[in-house]
Amino acid sequence: LNKCIIASDIISIKSIAKDNVLYFKNKSIKSLKEKISLIVSNKKLVSEFENKVKSLNVLEKYSWQKIIKLYENLYFEIRNNR
């Protein structure tokens, strides 16, 4: 998954991705179109973001298995503290 990522600039994504992805303005088709055009025409930029995205370790940090385990742990913690 070491690809150049274009993402909406919403807070939840920015808190995870930091400066490792290329952002477009939320709900702006024009902004998204500009970012797509930018990466299509700028292979060096794409390469830079592909290298940056490696540091995110998205699959290791945010796999469904890990998310499920976190929710299970939270559920049992709440249930046991009643």
Side-chain angles (χ1 to χ4, degrees), residues 26-71:
N26 188 36
K27 299 181 182 180
S28 172
I29 294 172
K30 180 181 177 191
S31 178
L32 176 57
K33 182 180 174 184
E34 289 169 355
K35 299 305 178 187
I36 292 170
S37 294
L38 181 63
I39 65 165
V40 166
S41 65
N42 191 334
K43 299 300 178 194
K44 183 178 179 189
L45 182 67
V46 170
S47 181
E48 289 173 16
F49 276 100
E50 286 175 344
N51 288 329
K52 284 182 168 191
V53 80
K54 290 176 188 176
S55 69
L56 292 176
N57 297 320
V58 173
L59 291 179
E60 292 85 19
K61 292 180 183 177
Y62 303 103
S63 71
W64 279 113
Q65 291 299 332
K66 285 192 176 192
I67 292 169
I68 290 167
K69 190 66 176 167
L70 287 170
Y71 275 108

Side-chain angles (χ1 to χ4, degrees), residues 2-4 8-9 14 24-25 28 30 33 38-39 44 46-47 56 66 72 74 82:
N2 297 331
K3 301 295 180 194
C4 179
S8 176
D9 66 355
K14 290 181 99 172
F24 68 92
K25 185 175 177 169
S28 172
K30 180 181 177 191
K33 182 180 174 184
L38 181 63
I39 65 165
K44 183 178 179 189
V46 170
S47 181
L56 292 176
K66 285 192 176 192
E72 285 177 342
L74 179 62
R82 285 186 158 187

